[in-house]
Amino acid sequence: HIDDYLSSYYGAPAAALRKKQANFAGSEAGAIDWLQGFIDAGAEHIMIRLAGDHERQMESVVRIREALLNSNA
């Protein structure tokens, strides 16, 4: 669960961390929609920090990136 991870990794309550940084956990389609909101708001650069199985997640990040590039071309 993302709240457990945040609290454990940062040593602070997840609710406090969410006030300072954006967090997402969910499907690729959900990530695309969530990131698109930042793009629609004018973001030109987005940094992503992965938690867990980085190799598997990088495959998802590549697909998400391609979907965002294609929809914003």
Side-chain angles (χ1 to χ4, degrees), residues 1-3 6 13-24:
H1 189 266
I2 192 169
D3 286 345
L6 291 171
L17 295 165
R18 289 182 187 281
K19 292 179 180 179
K20 296 181 180 185
Q21 64 185 28
N23 300 276
F24 176 84

Side-chain angles (χ1 to χ4, degrees), residues 40-62:
D40 292 345
E44 296 181 9
H45 298 86
I46 296 174
M47 294 180 62
I48 297 174
R49 183 182 186 290
L50 304 173
D53 183 348
H54 293 112
E55 291 296 322
R56 184 179 55 81
Q57 291 175 353
M58 282 304 297
E59 294 170 4
S60 291
V61 169
V62 168

